[in-house]
DNA sequence: AATAAAACCGAGCAAAATACTTGGGATTAA
DNA sequence: TTAATCCCAAGTATTTTGCTCGGTTTTATT
């Protein structure tokens, strides 16, 4: 029941892009440094995010990445699905292409996993990058007091 | 964000014991057969469950396992914690001994993972083996109609 | 007392997943 | 033209997973 570093790092990187939204392309290197993530590794993660349409990329000097949509239009769930695959505590209750086993029709455990999946989806999809930015503001307000 | 087979199989085995609660010791072999789980592997899982006090064991001929408490007193979360470890989408929000990273005090991602953890805990701890038995009854009522 | 049914135990191990690294090539602003 | 930057495919060390194997110990039954 743990996220891999893909999801962890990926969300941090996307939050970084959200904080710089509107400032033009942000270089991968600068994200990697701020977020303390291996540049080469992050490159792979952001490639997935680009292919799935969550970020736009700009090649060449002064290039970099931007969010493809406004922060309030990107849910945490969108990011996690790209980097960790469909939300699914088990294969038999996967959001996409659930693989039912033979015993599925009488399996009560599956009902439990379904509830769990729904609850995870609910949290991840009710929360956007903008919400994170807002929370960050709040956090800083407190510390400067 | 996936359970391992330890949690999957373990819950199925515990549900099996719940269904036979009050019938005396149930042999590992019979659980393994009914639930279609490798006997040798299940032995390891149930050893964890015994050590943590969720099941009692009876050695020798006609021996086997029983739930250590009534089904309505064993939460799904109790089982999952034994087999999968503390509930923790990331190490930094682990139920037990959370390992904060350097950036923890300003990390907004952590707030997201906390909400996620709480929501997972809520589902797993609000649901007991007895609830599963009840759902099983419901399920069978429907199919026999 | 002998037997067989069961739990108990520790070690080993192959396959898969994870978390990267490496070494290039392609674009493009300056 | 050059340097900054993205793009891509492959390789790799480590860890985790999901088991198997070969025994030992305990105990009800005969």
């Amino acid at each position: 029941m743990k996220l891999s570093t893909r999801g962890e790092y990926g969300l941090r990187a996307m939050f970084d892009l959200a904080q710089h939204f509107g400032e033009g392309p942000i270089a991968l290197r600068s994200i990697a440094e701020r977020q303390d993530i291996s540049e080469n590794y992050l490159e792979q993660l952001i490639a997935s995010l680009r292919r799935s349409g969550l970020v736009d990329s700009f090649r060449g000097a002064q290039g970099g990445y931007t969010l493809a949509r406004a922060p309030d239009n990107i849910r945490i769930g969108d990011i996690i699905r790209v980097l960790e695959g469909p939300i699914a505590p088990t294969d038999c209750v996967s959001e996409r292409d659930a693989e039912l086993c033979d015993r599925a029709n009488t399996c009560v455990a599956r009902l439990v996993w379904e509830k769990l999946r729904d609850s995870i989806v609910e949290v991840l999809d009710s929360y956007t990058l903008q919400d994170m930015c807002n929370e960050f503001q709040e956090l800083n307000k407190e510390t400067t007091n």
Side-chain angles (χ1 to χ4, degrees), chain A residues 30-41:
Chain A
S30 71
I31 304 174
E33 273 169 9
R34 273 189 303 269
Q35 298 297 326
D36 199 27
I37 301 171
S38 149
E39 196 182 326
N40 286 317
Y41 188 37

Side-chain angles (χ1 to χ4, degrees), chain A residues 80-137:
Chain A
I80 296 303
R81 286 184 186 90
V82 166
L83 295 171
E84 305 265 349
I87 291 165
T90 65
D91 285 332
C92 61
V93 299
S94 179
E95 278 185 314
R96 297 172 45 87
D97 312 314
E99 290 172 22
L100 298 183
C101 66
D102 306 340
R103 317 163 35 277
N105 45 336
T106 58
C107 182
V108 185
R110 217 174 104 254
L111 303 178
V112 178
W113 307 140
E114 271 174 4
K115 287 191 180 68
L116 182 56
R117 180 204 57 202
D118 290 345
S119 144
I120 293 170
V121 165
E122 166 63 23
V123 172
L124 297 182
D125 281 351
S126 67
Y127 213 64
T128 69
L129 287 177
Q130 185 61 55
D131 295 324
M132 288 182 72
C133 290
N134 294 344
E135 290 216 53
F136 186 74
Q137 297 294 340

Side-chain angles (χ1 to χ4, degrees), chain A residues 14 17 21 24-28 31 46-59 62-70 74:
Chain A
M14 288 294 276
L17 284 178
F21 188 63
I26 308 295
L28 181 71
I31 304 174
I46 211 159
S48 298
L49 293 164
R50 176 180 50 80
R51 278 183 237 112
S52 69
L54 289 182
V55 306
D56 288 335
S57 69
F58 301 89
R59 304 184 70 167
Q62 312 309 315
Y65 299 91
T66 62
L67 295 183
R69 310 196 293 262
I74 298 181

